[in-house]
Amino acid sequence: MRPVTVLLAVLLIAFLLGLVQAQNGVAEASIYQYQFIVAVTYARQLHGNGVILSKRWILSSASTFYTYPFTEYTVAVGAEDYQDQTTWYEVEHGYKHPKYIGSDYNIAVVLIRGSIEYTSRVQPIHLPTSNPDGVEAATMVSFGGSDEHQSHLREAKLVLTTDQSCIDQQADFQAKQFIWEGVGYCALPEPGTTNDLWHIATGAPIVADRVLYAVFAKHEASDHKGQEVATRIWHFKDWITTTTDVAWDY
C-alpha cells in the first residue's frame, strides 16, 4: 500500500473514532487534568471510583463498598491506567452515610493507611462554594467503561439538573424524593450526545472547573436510560467535615 494511501486510511480511522466519541460524549482522559481521581479496587480489580479530599481521606459513593468490608479495598492513585504507574494505598477505615439505602444518601468517606504524596499527577479536589440546582457543563471522570474490565481513565460530558422533567423520568420513587429534597441530581448526557453510562462508574466525581459538585450514585439498565442519579455534595457538607479532618475552606 502506498504511503499516501496509508496516511489517508489512518486519518479516516482517527476521524471516525473522534466522531463516535463526540456522539457518545465519552473520551479518553488525562490524569494531568484530573489529578484528584482514584480507582477503588478489590483484589486489584475495579469496584468504583473516588476523589481525593486530603492526604488521607477519599470521598466516594457508599455503593462502591457494598460487597466487602472497607479494609479489603485498596485505592489506586496517580495514573491514567490504574493497573500501571499507580501508587497503591490500603483502606484503614471507612464510613457510609448513616441514612444510606440503595441510591438514597449514597455517599461514603474512607481513611487510607499512610499519606498521599501530592505531585503533578496527584492533587486534592476543590469543594463547592455554592449549591446550584443544576450544572449545565459538567464532566464525570471514571475508570472503566462499557466494558467493566477496561482500566483506563475516561471522561463523559453530563448535565446535572433537578428539573421536574428529569424527576418525572425516574421510575424509582426513592430517587425522585432524593432529587426533590436537594440530596441528588439527575445526571443526563449533554444535548446531542447519547452516552451510555456504565455501572462501574459508581463514586465517580462529577466536576466543573475543577470543583466537585456530585459523585455518581446510580446507573440503570439500558431500557431505563435517563434515570441516572448523582449524589449532591453540598448537602453533605456538615457530615463530611465532622466525619473527616477535611476543612471546607475553598
Side-chain angles (χ1 to χ4, degrees):
M1 187 179 291
R2 294 178 179 178
V4 173
T5 305
V6 172
L7 177 60
L8 289 174
V10 170
L11 291 174
L12 178 60
I13 292 171
F15 171 78
L16 292 174
L17 287 174
L19 182 61
V20 169
Q21 284 191 339
Q23 291 174 336
N24 289 339
V26 177
E28 297 293 317
S30 167
I31 191 63
Y32 291 101
Q33 187 175 1
Y34 304 111
Q35 303 100 319
F36 45 78
I37 183 72
V38 305
V40 179
T41 72
Y42 173 81
R44 299 297 171 94
Q45 296 301 311
L46 188 66
H47 265 238
N49 302 265
V51 59
I52 300 171
L53 291 178
S54 71
K55 290 189 174 184
R56 296 205 66 195
W57 287 99
I58 303 296
L59 177 72
S60 184
S61 63
S63 55
T64 298
F65 305 94
Y66 179 79
T67 309
Y68 306 104
F70 279 110
T71 54
E72 295 189 25
Y73 292 90
T74 52
V75 173
V77 173
E80 290 169 9
D81 183 328
Y82 76 86
Q83 297 282 16
D84 184 41
Q85 295 183 336
T86 292
T87 302
W88 294 94
Y89 296 92
E90 296 178 349
V91 173
E92 181 176 306
H93 194 63
Y95 302 91
K96 297 175 185 176
H97 194 277
K99 292 185 179 181
Y100 164 63
I101 302 176
S103 63
D104 205 9
Y105 290 85
N106 192 355
I107 193 167
V109 290
V110 296
L111 181 69
I112 63 162
R113 296 185 184 276
S115 179
I116 294 172
E117 179 182 354
Y118 294 155
T119 68
S120 60
R121 299 166 66 95
V122 182
Q123 292 290 323
I125 190 63
H126 294 295
L127 297 171
T129 58
S130 63
N131 186 26
D133 287 331
V135 181
E136 292 186 1
T139 301
M140 184 184 78
V141 191
S142 171
F143 291 94
S146 56
D147 176 357
E148 65 184 74
H149 300 293
Q150 293 175 342
S151 57
H152 290 270
L153 187 61
R154 296 166 182 267
E155 61 179 0
K157 302 302 181 182
L158 298 178
V159 174
L160 299 178
T161 179
T162 55
D163 289 349
Q164 188 62 45
S165 60
C166 90
I167 295 175
D168 291 341
Q169 293 184 58
Q170 301 292 327
D172 181 4
F173 178 77
Q174 196 174 61
K176 289 178 184 284
Q177 191 172 23
F178 186 59
I179 300 165
W180 277 332
E181 295 177 350
V183 186
Y185 290 110
C186 294
L188 306 177
E190 275 192 333
T193 63
T194 58
N195 54 354
D196 186 10
L197 303 180
W198 44 93
H199 75 276
I200 206 67
T202 177
I206 302 177
V207 302
D209 296 325
R210 300 187 63 82
V211 174
L212 179 70
Y213 288 99
V215 292
F216 197 72
K218 178 186 177 184
H219 169 67
E220 294 288 357
S222 59
D223 56 341
H224 290 92
K225 289 180 181 178
Q227 296 187 30
E228 283 78 15
V229 177
T231 301
R232 196 166 170 171
I233 295 302
W234 182 273
H235 183 87
F236 298 95
K237 180 177 180 179
D238 292 342
W239 181 76
I240 291 170
T241 55
T242 56
T243 306
T244 72
D245 61 1
V246 175
W248 202 292
D249 56 359
Y250 296 95

